Amino acid sequence: MGFLNWYDWLGPTNPAAAIFFGIIFTIIVSLTVWFDSKKLRTTGIAALTGICVTLVGVFILNAAGFYG
């Protein structure tokens, strides 16, 4: 079982893949916020919120046995 599979972008098969794609999505959203607002504080809040949501979501799904 590897870290990433080609189909992990559809539905991550392990917590590491979910965190990886969550961070990638967060970076894309943060860059969009930066290009729209040009404010570092707003971009930082978007990035921090995305990372927190990703980590909490993966923790809850892992605790519920989604990746098991």
Side-chain angles (χ1 to χ4, degrees), residues 2-59:
F3 172 67
L4 288 175
N5 294 311
W6 67 270
Y7 49 82
D8 274 335
W9 64 276
L10 291 172
T13 58
N14 59 51
I19 291 173
F20 176 77
F21 286 110
I23 298 297
I24 295 295
F25 183 73
T26 298
I27 290 170
I28 292 168
V29 169
S30 296
L31 286 173
T32 303
V33 169
W34 169 253
F35 288 129
D36 188 46
S37 70
K38 300 291 188 199
K39 294 181 181 175
L40 190 57
R41 179 182 168 116
T42 306
T43 304
I45 290 171
L48 186 62
T49 301
I51 290 170
C52 289
V53 167
T54 297
L55 294 176
V56 169
V58 169
F59 175 77

